[in-house]
Amino acid sequence: MAERIICQGDIVDTVADAIVFSTNEHLFLSGGAGASLLGKHGKPLQDAMTRALAASGSKIAHRGSVFEIEPAETWGRMFAVVAANGFYETTREDTVEAIRLVLQRCSEIDGLKTVAITALGTGYGNMEIEDFVALFCGIDIPQPLESIELVIPSELFFREACLTNDRLGNPAKIAG
């Protein structure tokens, strides 16, 4: 059975076979995890995001859309999820479906065992961290994935995530 882990930290420092993070409808790396990733990988990552959106044939991505970002020399597998629309509205249904799509895709990639994910839609979206943790703790993790790690940069959000995990009966291991 796959392990769920909740930890405090920055997604750019996470060691995982794949990283999943929120982006906006234009796939700009302008805030939250995207800004951290841009700070680490620079313009080549933003260019890869732009190419991913162009390849979709649309100028604006819809909430719930998932984009697999081409790996490069400085980064591995990444999946960008449009967690909120232009009005910063996020839905549980769209978020669950996007995570299911990403995890299914990850489970199909040879050798991919670990996934790190940010709390989608909780920064610029209107999803509360408690709701995302409940979703994270309840989603099915397909085989052969071994672990999925929720990476939370904010100490306050991390404490709230731990409390929610406690209320749910501790389905996730707390790290760091």
Side-chain angles (χ1 to χ4, degrees):
M1 177 169 210
E3 182 176 45
R4 295 170 207 278
I5 303 162
I6 299 172
C7 72
Q8 184 179 1
D10 191 327
I11 195 73
V12 301
D13 299 324
T14 303
V15 177
D17 298 326
I19 291 175
V20 182
F21 64 96
S22 289
T23 190
N24 56 46
E25 59 191 3
H26 298 285
L27 274 64
F28 294 148
L29 297 169
S30 57
S36 289
L37 290 165
L38 182 63
K40 181 173 183 175
H41 302 292
K43 188 175 180 320
L45 179 56
Q46 182 59 70
D47 292 345
M49 299 281 288
T50 302
R51 286 191 300 276
L53 181 59
S56 75
S58 181
K59 292 185 181 199
I60 296 175
H62 297 285
R63 181 180 61 210
S65 298
V66 174
F67 294 86
E68 187 169 353
I69 307 306
E70 63 198 49
E73 193 173 306
T74 63
W75 69 84
R77 296 266 180 199
M78 286 194 200
F79 294 86
V81 175
V82 180
N85 64 17
F87 298 103
Y88 304 110
E89 298 166 328
T90 303
T91 69
R92 180 180 176 88
E93 296 77 22
D94 287 342
T95 305
V96 167
E97 186 57 30
I99 294 171
R100 283 188 181 133
L101 280 166
V102 169
L103 293 180
Q104 184 58 45
R105 175 66 184 121
C106 287
S107 75
E108 296 165 354
I109 299 171
D110 285 338
L112 200 152
K113 302 288 183 194
T114 60
V115 177
I117 187 170
T118 62
L120 307 174
T122 61
Y124 288 103
N126 61 345
M127 184 174 290
E128 299 294 328
I129 189 68
E130 297 87 352
D131 294 329
F132 187 84
V133 170
L135 178 156
F136 171 81
C137 288
I139 199 152
D140 292 330
I141 303 171
Q143 300 251 348
L145 296 179
E146 295 175 358
S147 71
I148 179 170
E149 181 175 12
L150 174 56
V151 182
I152 303 171
S154 159
E155 184 178 337
L156 176 62
F157 274 19
F158 177 68
R159 283 197 309 257
E160 290 298 320
C162 292
L163 290 172
T164 301
N165 187 55
D166 286 346
R167 282 193 295 272
L168 294 171
N170 297 306
K173 174 182 158 187
I174 303 298

